[in-house]
């Protein structure tokens, strides 16, 4: 294998012509194409959808795993040996983490898609779009549990979306 040589020009000729375009975001403003603001550079609603969903999924996975760990340690306190305690704790972590991560990821996906559609329809991005996107995503997420659960979920998601939008607007130059 040591006799194999690679020509960098043939592997990635675009990299030698000034760099890869999709990696260069220094000159771009943060936010969506509709004038919204975010904490990271964005090229549009698809970036917001991917980054928002992924970040929220990972946060839910982490929080759910921590909750599952606490639950597992509590349940396994009377275990006869360390192997049983470890097994019980790991089972609780893997039961809670992915469930909460998946739920939050789905809500984030619906939220980002709905907010992008509202932004495009209204032609601007503001707190009201976030509130409406949060309410719609919460209602859709819990729509199969009945109207009361959907309304409660809509209120909670709208509140979280509004708080997030206000938090972001205080840290950006909007």
């Amino acid at each position: 294998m040591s006799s194999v040589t690679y020509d960098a020009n043939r592997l990635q000729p675009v990299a030698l012509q000034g760099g890869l375009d999709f990696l260069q975001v220094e000159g771009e403003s943060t936010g969506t194409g509709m004038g919204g603001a975010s904490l990271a550079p964005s090229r549009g609603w698809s970036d917001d959808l991917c980054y928002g969903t992924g970040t929220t999924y990972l946060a839910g996975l982490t929080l759910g795993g921590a909750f599952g760990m606490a639950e597992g340690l509590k349940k396994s306190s009377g275990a006869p040996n360390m192997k049983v305690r470890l097994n019980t704790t790991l089972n609780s972590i893997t039961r809670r983490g992915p469930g909460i991560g998946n739920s939050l990821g789905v809500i984030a996906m619906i939220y980002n898609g709905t907010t992008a559609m509202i932004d495009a329809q209204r032609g601007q991005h503001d707190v009201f779009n976030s509130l409406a996107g949060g309410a719609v995503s919460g209602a859709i997420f819990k729509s199969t549990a009945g109207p009361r659960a959907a309304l409660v979920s809509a209120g909670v998601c709208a509140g979280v979306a509004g708080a997030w939008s206000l938090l972001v607007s205080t840290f950006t130059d909007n």
Side-chain angles (χ1 to χ4, degrees):
M1 277 309 266
S2 62
S3 65
V4 177
T5 59
Y6 295 103
D7 184 13
N9 293 331
R10 294 184 66 208
L11 289 175
Q12 187 54 268
V14 177
L16 299 174
Q17 299 171 356
L20 298 173
D21 182 40
F22 66 90
L23 294 177
Q24 298 172 351
V25 292
E26 298 92 19
E28 296 189 17
S29 64
T30 58
T32 62
M34 289 291 161
S38 68
L39 298 177
S42 173
R43 294 191 185 256
W45 71 271
S46 61
D47 275 3
D48 292 341
L49 179 70
C50 292
Y51 296 142
T53 303
T55 303
T56 307
Y57 171 75
L58 287 175
L61 189 66
T62 303
L63 291 173
F67 178 70
M69 182 174 180
E71 182 183 66
L73 289 173
K74 185 178 174 184
K75 280 182 8 183
S76 67
S77 62
N81 59 27
M82 192 61 183
K83 277 183 150 180
V84 173
R85 186 169 191 181
L86 179 64
N87 189 24
T88 303
T89 303
L90 289 176
N91 285 340
S92 294
I93 290 171
T94 57
R95 184 180 317 116
R96 295 289 182 194
I100 293 174
N102 289 341
S103 296
L104 289 180
V106 167
I107 292 170
M109 189 181 304
I110 297 169
Y111 167 77
N112 284 315
T114 304
T115 305
M117 286 190 286
I118 294 170
D119 288 351
Q121 185 68 30
R122 290 187 64 213
Q124 64 180 353
H125 180 79
D126 56 11
V127 177
F128 301 112
N129 294 0
S130 295
L131 289 171
V136 168
S137 62
I140 289 173
F141 182 71
K142 282 294 185 179
S143 63
T144 59
R148 181 177 175 166
L151 285 174
V152 169
S153 181
V156 168
C157 288
V160 170
W164 174 254
S165 183
L166 289 174
L167 181 74
V168 167
S169 67
T170 59
F171 287 110
T172 58
D173 53 335
N174 256 1

